[in-house]
Amino acid sequence: MKYSYIIIDDNHESTKETKKIADGFCELNCLGLAGNYFDGLNLTLEKKPDIIFLEINPKNEESNLSLEIINPIHHFLKIVPKIVVTTSNKDLAFEAIQYDVLDYVLKPVTRFHLNKIVSKLNKIKEAQRLANSIDGEYGQAKEYRSAEDDDAMLGHAKKPLMLCIKSYGDYRYIDSRDITYFQADNNSTDIHLNNGEMITAFKTLKYFEGLLSYPFVRIHNSYIVNSDCISRIHTGNTVCYIKNTTIKLPFSKSYKVNIDFIIWQIASGNYLEI
């Protein structure tokens, strides 16, 4: 079985050594190297590797490498790569377990370490294959589904996310495409719609951040924005402009990588820069 990987590490020498060992495995294919948080996240989202070898205790603090990079990866990718922490610091192992990493390897990375990792991945892949095989046996009736049924199911899958704000028997349904941004208000969240209406939900902004995926992106301690509703991003003034309104939402340095991702995502579409 073949597995693609990237290395995110600000130590050039250890990166070179890890890659040298990995190159000795026909099962492993390197897709790229990165030396800081932003480049590592960008490379992950662009290449979508099977494995990330991640340093979480960098030599240079400005590289911002830590376990925190795992959160946006989960947020932006449907299929999350397996994370293998490679570090010289054994004290972060317990914290890494909380992030459900595949393995925690103390440097230097050896052939023995990679043998274990490849074996783990093979077992996971085989378990998935067996599970899919069982599902296939019980799902043979699907082969007889009519084309009309297929179209109906595809149509259902394409339906946008519908939010229901429930309060004392009152069910308020909101099409996610109508939401421009979420704004924190202590332990509740104000949901702003493109028609100017505002609805309050008695959930925290962090709750919505964990629930929603792209195009909804956290840009500030107080804001989650619908990226499809952004008309302008001014990185100098650290603000986003909302389409067809005079609303400007601030973004903070701690969420700058999310702003960079929005810019990258927009540029990856049908795009012309002048």
Side-chain angles (χ1 to χ4, degrees):
M1 299 181 186
K2 299 281 188 178
Y3 305 101
S4 59
Y5 75 90
I6 64 171
I7 300 174
I8 305 176
D9 191 338
D10 71 328
N11 186 322
H12 179 70
E13 288 303 315
S14 66
T15 297
K16 189 165 66 173
E17 286 303 310
T18 300
K19 185 177 184 301
K20 182 179 177 181
I21 298 293
D23 284 346
F25 286 77
C26 61
E27 298 94 336
L28 299 176
N29 174 40
C30 182
L31 298 182
L33 314 172
N36 59 61
Y37 180 104
F38 173 68
D39 289 344
L41 181 58
N42 221 8
L43 185 63
T44 301
L45 299 179
E46 182 180 344
K47 300 295 186 179
K48 300 179 178 62
D50 298 311
I51 315 165
I52 299 174
F53 292 102
L54 174 65
E55 170 62 80
I56 59 174
N57 187 37
K59 290 176 63 177
N60 181 2
E61 290 186 0
E62 291 184 1
S63 68
N64 292 320
L65 292 181
S66 73
L67 289 163
E68 288 297 320
I69 197 174
I70 298 174
N71 290 328
I73 291 173
H74 275 269
H75 185 74
F76 293 125
L77 292 182
K78 289 183 179 179
I79 300 176
V80 179
K82 299 298 182 185
I83 308 294
V84 177
V85 171
T86 57
T87 184
S88 302
N89 187 347
K90 63 182 180 181
D91 298 332
L92 300 170
F94 179 76
E95 186 181 353
I97 291 170
Q98 312 307 307
Y99 283 83
D100 196 28
V101 301
L102 178 71
D103 208 340
Y104 192 95
V105 176
L106 291 178
K107 290 179 177 176
V109 176
T110 67
R111 188 170 180 84
F112 172 72
H113 291 135
L114 292 189
N115 265 319
K116 283 202 312 175
I117 290 164
V118 169
S119 295
K120 282 184 182 180
L121 290 168
N122 286 342
K123 287 180 180 179
I124 292 169
K125 209 95 178 232
E126 181 62 18
Q128 290 173 341
R129 188 190 67 78
L130 289 172
N132 291 337
S133 176
I134 292 169
D135 288 343
E137 289 178 8
Y138 285 99
Q140 288 180 358
K142 293 179 182 178
E143 297 178 8
Y144 302 101
R145 188 189 304 126
S146 68
E148 290 182 0
D149 290 337
D150 285 339
D151 290 341
M153 288 192 70
L154 287 169
H156 178 73
K158 290 178 182 177
K159 284 186 178 180
L161 175 67
M162 190 68 66
L163 268 64
C164 177
I165 309 300
K166 181 182 175 184
S167 178
Y168 302 104
D170 179 18
Y171 296 78
R172 175 65 187 266
Y173 300 105
I174 307 171
D175 187 326
S176 60
R177 294 172 300 182
D178 295 334
I179 300 171
T180 54
Y181 64 96
F182 295 78
Q183 183 174 8
D185 185 8
N186 295 320
N187 289 324
S188 63
T189 300
D190 294 332
I191 304 172
H192 294 262
L193 307 183
N194 53 22
N195 63 1
E197 189 178 359
M198 187 269 285
I199 300 163
T200 298
F202 293 98
K203 298 286 186 181
T204 63
L205 194 67
K206 188 170 183 62
Y207 171 83
F208 284 104
E209 182 184 15
L211 185 71
L212 298 166
S213 57
Y214 191 84
F216 293 97
V217 179
R218 183 81 174 261
I219 61 170
H220 190 277
N221 284 339
S222 298
Y223 296 103
I224 293 173
V225 67
N226 181 349
S227 303
D228 291 338
C229 295
I230 292 176
S231 63
R232 179 183 177 190
I233 296 173
H234 197 303
T235 56
N237 294 336
T238 62
V239 291
C240 297
Y241 293 74
I242 300 298
K243 289 178 183 177
N244 304 318
T245 72
T246 58
I247 297 170
K248 294 184 288 186
L249 300 183
F251 60 85
S252 54
K253 285 185 178 179
S254 56
Y255 291 100
K256 175 63 165 54
V257 67
N258 289 359
I259 291 294
D260 291 331
F261 174 74
I262 292 171
I263 293 172
W264 174 80
Q265 189 75 11
I266 292 171
S268 66
N270 191 8
Y271 177 81
L272 177 62
E273 189 171 297
I274 301 171

